[in-house]
Amino acid sequence: MGAHEHSELARHVSAVVLSLPSSCEVEEVCLGRHGLFAHLPRHSLILDCTTSYPASTLTLAEQAKKHALHFIDAPVTRSPEQAEQGRLNAIVGSDQNTFPMAARVLTAFCENIVHVGDIGQGHKLKLVYNSMTMGMAAVVAEACQLADAIDVDLATLRSLVSRGATNSGIFQNFAAFCWTKSRMLWQYRSETPKRILTAACD
């Protein structure tokens, strides 16, 4: 969608949901002569579902106020499949007065809508959440590679993990992928399992 199309759209709506690659694209869409801020009706709502930089979010919220607009952060979690089902989780940063208005829009595609504080807090929490997710995924990937490298049956590993505190949605999603794509995946295995075994033997 081009800049002129942004401005044309803005004239005919009172709420816009953004889900873009980064804060750079959010700023490009919102600011400038053809941006949303310049053309949305007063008191309109912009919900940024992008995983954005909190500092950018705060700056955009201040700019929105100058146009009598509400800009809030509402990043989401869960999978593409759950997005299609309208079952995402929304992490909302807004003031108390704006939250109910945001929640009414988010119910169209979110199952759980959590208000976590003022503007910017949603994006801060999403960064923490993503850090946890990536860290857990990395550990699971390395563990599965180690199991394969030392001839531990992956189905047995999955069965064991499923019965204990180590189990998680991340593990189950990764394990399901491995069981389907294991031969393709393991041909790219890293040297990490060999290093672990060497250290253990030493």
Side-chain angles (χ1 to χ4, degrees):
M1 181 177 287
H4 291 283
E5 293 173 296
H6 296 156
S7 58
E8 181 61 25
L9 169 68
R11 295 188 186 98
H12 301 285
V13 299
S14 59
V16 176
V17 178
L18 302 177
S19 183
L20 297 168
S22 72
S23 293
C24 294
E25 288 78 11
V26 175
E27 292 172 4
E28 182 179 342
V29 167
C30 290
L31 303 175
R33 187 161 56 95
H34 298 292
L36 294 175
F37 289 179
H39 298 279
L40 280 167
R42 289 168 60 86
H43 309 299
S44 292
L45 177 67
I46 305 102
L47 297 98
D48 183 16
C49 296
T50 309
T51 301
S52 294
Y53 293 117
S56 174
T57 300
L58 293 173
T59 298
L60 287 170
E62 287 300 318
Q63 291 295 319
K65 282 183 182 179
K66 296 177 181 179
H67 296 272
L69 301 172
H70 304 287
F71 183 93
I72 69 170
D73 45 320
V76 294
T77 68
R78 286 190 165 175
S79 67
E81 292 76 18
Q82 288 166 317
E84 292 178 359
Q85 297 165 2
R87 298 179 54 233
L88 294 177
N89 297 327
I91 310 166
V92 182
S94 72
D95 60 49
Q96 292 288 351
N97 294 330
T98 310
F99 176 69
M101 180 167 54
R104 285 194 293 272
V105 176
L106 292 167
T107 52
F109 55 92
C110 294
E111 181 176 39
N112 301 299
I113 303 166
V114 183
H115 186 219
V116 298
D118 291 334
I119 295 167
Q121 291 302 116
H123 280 144
K124 289 179 182 179
L125 181 53
K126 180 62 186 298
L127 293 177
V128 174
Y129 179 92
N130 279 8
S131 297
M132 291 178 62
T133 300
M134 295 302 294
M136 293 167 68
V139 169
V140 170
E142 292 294 334
C144 288
Q145 288 184 2
L146 173 60
D148 187 70
I150 60 176
D151 297 321
V152 169
D153 181 67
L154 297 179
T156 303
L157 173 64
R158 186 181 190 184
S159 177
L160 174 65
V161 172
S162 298
R163 291 175 168 83
T166 309
N167 192 30
S168 69
I170 292 172
F171 171 78
Q172 292 297 335
N173 289 339
F174 191 87
F177 171 80
C178 289
W179 268 244
T180 304
K181 307 288 187 181
S182 60
R183 290 306 100 192
M184 295 173 58
L185 181 67
W186 303 133
Q187 67 181 326
Y188 298 109
R189 71 166 63 108
S190 69
E191 292 298 311
T192 301
K194 296 178 183 178
R195 292 198 299 271
I196 292 174
L197 289 174
T198 300
C201 291
D202 291 342

